Amino acid sequence: MNHAIVLSAALTALALSACDRPTTTVVTPAAVVAVPGPAGPTGATGSTGSTGAPGYTGATGSTGQTGATGSTGETGDTGKQGKTGSETVVIVPVQKP
């Protein structure tokens, strides 16, 4: 866009200079193209942003149901009856005075 304005101003000046009448060409500030200079120094680093809020801990789940009690086992077989003590010998140690 800026090049079109400059080119248009230059062509107008050339076209008007070809005429026999003396004319004055005025270049407006809009027709001047600014040329950027060298880049300046880098700016300072910005401050660090604030830390976000911590998340919420989820709710604890419900305790499961207690299992059913197992059934009682079967009673074992009865053992054999013991023998009488007619053949048993008991030895009692003697105390020394």
Side-chain angles (χ1 to χ4, degrees):
M1 181 79 179
N2 290 337
H3 296 287
I5 294 172
V6 172
L7 183 61
S8 175
L11 287 176
T12 304
L14 288 176
L16 292 176
S17 66
C19 296
D20 292 335
R21 308 182 267 158
T23 58
T24 304
T25 304
V26 178
V27 179
T28 62
V32 177
V33 177
V35 177
T42 304
T45 302
S47 61
T48 303
S50 61
T51 303
Y56 294 104
T57 303
T60 304
S62 61
T63 305
Q65 297 176 346
T66 305
T69 304
S71 60
T72 306
E74 296 180 16
T75 305
D77 293 338
T78 305
K80 295 180 183 179
Q81 185 174 359
K83 296 182 179 181
T84 58
S86 63
E87 298 176 10
T88 304
V89 178
V90 178
I91 299 174
V92 178
V94 180
Q95 300 261 342
K96 291 187 179 182

